[in-house]
Amino acid sequence: MKIAVFCSGNGSNFQAIIDACRKGLFKADISLMVCDNPNAFSVKRAEKEGIKSFTIERKAFSSAEEFEARIIEELKKERIELICLAGYMRILSAGFVEKYKGRILNIHPALLPSFKGTHGIKDAIDHGVKTTGVTVHFVDEEMDSGPVILQEAVKVEETDTEASLAEKIHSVEHRLYPEAIRLFIKGKLKLIGRRVKILP
Ligand code: GAR
């Protein structure tokens, strides 16, 4: 299966996906890394790993449609079958989601539907929850709202800071995202309404 990973920043999840694939957790070709930020470390990771990257800035386009159309052109060129958003801090339009319906995954650093948005870890700390976690879900037209594939809880200790909690969450993310991709590739994810049934 040909995968594109979308990033905006560090790309540690992108790295975890590459590492899991190399270790043989799933059979895929990570063909492309799409990035909307030329200064992102994920661009360096792609270079080091020999993965083609496509960096594209929103400000170079007069509309979101044109920006996405250019990305879609690249995805088509590479015959991408699965898109994994990994810290991609942009909302995909309904038109984009429709084109790749059921073929876009996202990881979020909280137990959705709690703490949606770009500051899931800080928001959980600020709210004072005792448990937060990680969610991998299918992407739909709304932000952080699609059907949940996998979730795992992470305890918030009284001594936790945003940084220490982020470290715990990232280590769960790096295990959970590759596992969700493995299930997808194996055809084990059955969508029934909003629910994702994991087949044996
Ligand atoms: C991850 O924690 C991911 O869950 C989060 O961005 C981080 C990216 O880290 N995504 C969101 O908050 C999406 N709403 P990475 O670049 O090191 O993979």
Side-chain angles (χ1 to χ4, degrees), residues 9-13 87 89 107-109 117 144 170 173:
N10 179 19
S12 69
N13 281 286
M89 296 305 187
I107 188 151
H108 185 74
D144 298 332
H170 289 143
E173 287 186 333

Side-chain angles (χ1 to χ4, degrees), residues 38-51:
N39 302 313
F41 189 60
S42 54
V43 176
K44 296 220 164 57
R45 290 187 195 269
E47 203 175 274
K48 182 168 158 278
E49 297 290 346
I51 292 172

Side-chain angles (χ1 to χ4, degrees), residues 9-111:
N10 179 19
S12 69
N13 281 286
F14 170 46
Q15 188 72 55
I17 294 166
I18 297 168
D19 294 347
C21 185
R22 297 235 161 104
K23 279 190 197 134
L25 184 71
F26 49 78
K27 255 192 141 153
D29 174 7
I30 304 168
S31 317
L32 188 66
M33 194 280 295
V34 174
C35 187
D36 65 341
N37 168 13
N39 302 313
F41 189 60
S42 54
V43 176
K44 296 220 164 57
R45 290 187 195 269
E47 203 175 274
K48 182 168 158 278
E49 297 290 346
I51 292 172
K52 182 178 174 186
S53 69
F54 177 60
T55 303
I56 176 164
E57 286 188 276
R58 168 66 183 85
K59 68 180 183 201
F61 296 83
S62 50
S63 72
E65 290 70 36
E66 287 169 57
F67 169 69
E68 284 188 345
R70 183 64 193 88
I71 294 177
I72 289 168
E73 199 182 310
E74 211 60 25
L75 297 175
K76 286 204 171 134
K77 220 188 279 173
E78 293 294 331
R79 296 195 164 77
I80 296 301
E81 302 167 278
L82 172 67
I83 296 170
C84 298
L85 307 184
Y88 183 68
M89 296 305 187
R90 221 166 253 291
I91 296 168
L92 299 173
S93 73
F96 188 113
V97 173
E98 186 56 38
K99 281 203 172 64
Y100 286 91
K101 209 171 178 67
R103 301 200 150 261
I104 313 174
L105 312 184
N106 182 42
I107 188 151
H108 185 74
L111 293 176

Side-chain angles (χ1 to χ4, degrees), residues 77-161:
K77 220 188 279 173
E78 293 294 331
R79 296 195 164 77
I80 296 301
E81 302 167 278
L82 172 67
I83 296 170
C84 298
L85 307 184
Y88 183 68
M89 296 305 187
R90 221 166 253 291
I91 296 168
L92 299 173
S93 73
F96 188 113
V97 173
E98 186 56 38
K99 281 203 172 64
Y100 286 91
K101 209 171 178 67
R103 301 200 150 261
I104 313 174
L105 312 184
N106 182 42
I107 188 151
H108 185 74
L111 293 176
L112 290 173
S114 290
F115 309 118
K116 294 180 175 185
T118 48
H119 304 107
I121 300 172
K122 181 178 186 304
D123 292 347
I125 284 268
D126 289 350
H127 198 82
V129 293
K130 305 290 189 193
T131 303
T132 182
V134 173
T135 303
V136 182
H137 64 96
F138 283 109
V139 171
D140 66 10
E141 310 69 36
E142 281 168 57
M143 186 188 65
D144 298 332
S145 91
V148 171
I149 299 168
L150 293 175
Q151 281 187 312
E152 190 170 312
V154 173
K155 269 194 168 316
V156 185
E157 305 295 342
E158 283 173 12
T159 49
D160 267 326
T161 59

